[in-house]
Amino acid sequence: MPQSKFIYTFNYDVHFGELCKLESRQIFNEEQQNKLLFSDFKIDPSISAFIKTRLEIMTTAGSFTELVTLITNEDIRMNGFNVEYLILDGNTLERAERREKLKDIGYCIYGFPEFNTPTITYAICQYKDFWYFGTLTKHNNDWYKHKVKPHSFSNSIGMNIAKTLVSIASKGDKSKSLLDACCGVGTILLEACCSGFDIEGCDINPKAIKYTKLNLAHYNYNPTVYCSDVKEINKNYDAVIVDLPYNLYSISEQLISEKIIEATSNITARLVIVSIADIESTINHSGFEVIDFCTVVKKGKSTFTRKLWICEKAITS
């Protein structure tokens, strides 16, 4: 019988498939399959753009009848509860059957249910030969409000990528200190702040910093933001995120990338890079090594591809 503590469900568009798998590998040390993952890692679903729910397993059974018996024996007493049915890969039950099973589970719990604003949500699901019951935590969509941030650049990364960069850099750990080293108008900072991460930002462009601060203030976020080159930052971070600039300077983009990556090597051992160019050789020459990678094709524009590089300091003997 499976012994995992949690079941995670995922939801994403096709063009984000590889990005979601990359995030899963970095957070859970394994890939989600068919938008589903069993894990012992406890992760807040809201830190991810793709994690839809987390079921904390309380009871596992080989049949639904056994599940009902086990839940009844738990003698759960709770007012204001609700019970939902998670539809996992391979589930074939029709809606009417699912509703009947939810009723059966509801009758096992002593207390008054609340369907609109429950104080706790339980869930049941079936996967392969087993039934599961537990407490359900859902993804919080509060970050969608950033779609209408006051200021943006045409080349700014999308919210989904920004949110994923934060979860990947931190490996889902909100205690990690992060730096967005080319923060632009603050897209990454917004997603990190909304999810409760400890993050700072810097950018050499005063105009960008002005818009970053206005965007952050609009949502009442107040992380530290420096108007400076990353090489001037003199503190260490658990991870640094860099969305490398492109088509913005007259000098070589490669030279800019080299200088930024080299500067980050002085302040962190973990680096997450977004680039439109192949920069693996630049990364290797900076003292980092690539530990994971994926590409993301912009929706509707197959010719525009962003590359994501997960890097860590090379271990020298």
Side-chain angles (χ1 to χ4, degrees), residues 155-167:
N155 62 321
S156 298
I157 62 173
M159 291 167 50
N160 292 65
I161 298 178
K163 195 171 185 68
T164 307
L165 292 174
V166 174
S167 64

Side-chain angles (χ1 to χ4, degrees), residues 106-121:
Y107 289 139
C108 298
I109 301 172
Y110 296 92
F112 294 99
E114 170 56 54
F115 303 111
N116 296 319
T117 56
T119 56
I120 186 170
T121 299

Side-chain angles (χ1 to χ4, degrees), residues 254 275-283 293 307 309:
Q254 182 178 350
S275 172
I276 62 169
D278 187 341
I279 57 169
E280 187 167 4
S281 61
T282 300
I283 294 170
F293 169 84
K307 299 173 173 59
W309 313 80

Side-chain angles (χ1 to χ4, degrees), residues 128-169:
K128 295 185 177 179
D129 297 326
F130 296 96
W131 283 89
Y132 302 90
F133 169 82
T135 55
L136 187 69
T137 302
K138 298 181 181 180
H139 181 101
N140 189 320
N141 293 328
D142 282 355
W143 62 291
Y144 286 4
K145 62 190 176 185
H146 300 154
K147 289 182 180 180
V148 291
K149 61 179 178 287
H151 303 281
S152 184
F153 288 158
S154 61
N155 62 321
S156 298
I157 62 173
M159 291 167 50
N160 292 65
I161 298 178
K163 195 171 185 68
T164 307
L165 292 174
V166 174
S167 64
I168 287 174

Side-chain angles (χ1 to χ4, degrees), residues 279-297:
I279 57 169
E280 187 167 4
S281 61
T282 300
I283 294 170
N284 292 334
H285 286 132
S286 68
F288 288 102
E289 61 181 355
V290 177
I291 63 168
D292 213 336
F293 169 84
C294 84
T295 59
V296 182
V297 177

Side-chain angles (χ1 to χ4, degrees), residues 221-235:
Y221 303 140
N222 59 354
T224 300
V225 181
Y226 308 98
C227 184
S228 70
D229 194 309
V230 65
K231 68 182 181 182
E232 297 171 1
I233 302 296
N234 58 6
K235 61 183 294 187

